[in-house]
Amino acid sequence: MVPTQKRHDDIVIQRRFGENASTGTVKQVYAVTYPDHTDQGTERASYSEAEQKALTLAEAKGLSVWYEENPHSGKRTLVKSFRDST
């Protein structure tokens, strides 16, 4: 059975916006977040880089990966689940 709702220990890719310190330009970044781990240093410039990092972690831990385009909306999309289906 594939989960249809995020569990507390799942990995989430969050789309965020940051500002380039020298130019003031707003840029889009993707942070890989999960419980008991600071997401500092997990931000990636492209979604594909963040997804690869998240999938590698999820497979090793047997978790699911979710994507949040807007973390404040509460809406998530399941990317892939590595949870045991038994």
Side-chain angles (χ1 to χ4, degrees), residues 69-80:
E69 185 171 339
N70 179 353
H72 304 293
S73 73
K75 182 179 176 188
R76 297 176 186 94
T77 303
L78 180 64
V79 176
K80 186 167 185 175

Side-chain angles (χ1 to χ4, degrees), residues 9-57:
D9 58 344
D10 282 339
I11 296 170
V12 178
I13 302 168
Q14 291 182 338
R15 184 177 74 149
R16 298 181 181 171
F17 295 95
E19 185 176 336
N20 183 311
S22 61
T23 64
T25 305
V26 175
K27 62 180 182 174
Q28 184 171 269
V29 294
Y30 298 90
V32 178
T33 66
Y34 51 101
D36 300 326
H37 183 270
T38 174
D39 60 356
Q40 186 174 0
T42 65
E43 292 181 340
R44 301 289 187 254
S46 75
Y47 175 82
S48 61
E49 289 176 18
E51 182 182 64
Q52 186 57 48
K53 170 92 172 154
L55 290 172
T56 300
L57 287 168

